[in-house]
Amino acid sequence: MKQRNVMPQKINIRGVYFDNVTKDEAFERVKELIRDDSKVSVMYTPNSEIVQCCIDDESMYGVINSADLIIPDGIGVVYASKILGTPLKQKVAGVETADLIAEYASKTGDGIFIFGGGKATSERPCVARLAADKLCEKYPGLVISGVRDGYFSDADNQSIADEINASGAKILFVCLGAPKQEKWIYDNRDKLKVSFAAGLGGSVDVFAGTVKRAPDFFVKTNLEWFYRLIKQPTRAGRMMNLPRFLFGTVIHKNRGHEG
């Protein structure tokens, strides 16, 4: 008898409904969504900064919660789930999930379109192209259906969707940074013909090699945020959203706003 797929449990963290999954469970769900051609399925990867963005701008709740899969890409979200007494299984990094998707697509032949990252310069191609080339080196057989940098205006949205659709891609990586990428997918979902779209932020830079991910020690000890702060001190202001989010969770419990 064929086993029936069981939908992951949803955990409410300050108004954002995360899927309570391990890394492996998230990937199994992603594969189901990619194989479903009936609609454009979406994955978002919020961290505590994005949840705080929803708290500060309640219109973002509808955007984030519209996704078919929401994974906790930040240890702050996992800590908050424990504070609230509804613990998530583990942090599930978006860049690691995207890497698994690329490996999977190299075996199935599903094409990937990479949208986002820096422009081409006189010294190098655009970051999306660099990422595509590195991924193809890592996973022979991977089909990159197309790439596009992350610089555009609202007037370009239809032409971008047309370009993605014309490429024949089944999978779309949108790497515009949060919350821009989530808003773009939300606003343009009905224009797209891909099976699966994911908001993956800086993953394109990691794949391209223009930004290095934290060493294993920082990843395994949940100090990846600290490594990024050391490397990019200008992120200090943004990093303040983590203690703000956690303190707010303690004070307000599971209220989705600071009122």
Side-chain angles (χ1 to χ4, degrees), residues 26 29-37 39-44 68-69 97-98 101 111-113 164 169-174 185 192-200:
R29 178 65 178 142
V30 166
K31 288 190 288 185
E32 291 173 8
L33 295 175
I34 291 172
R35 291 192 293 261
D36 182 0
D37 293 322
K39 62 172 183 174
V40 180
S41 298
V42 172
M43 179 182 79
Y44 292 145
D68 301 274
L69 179 63
T97 305
I101 293 170
I112 297 177
F113 193 105
I164 293 166
K170 192 166 186 178
I171 300 165
L172 173 63
F173 288 175
V174 183
I185 294 172
L192 297 170
K193 296 180 180 178
V194 298
S195 293
F196 179 80
L200 293 167

Side-chain angles (χ1 to χ4, degrees), residues 137-150:
E137 287 176 16
K138 186 175 182 180
Y139 299 118
L142 177 63
V143 176
I144 299 295
S145 301
V147 301
R148 194 189 194 287
D149 67 47

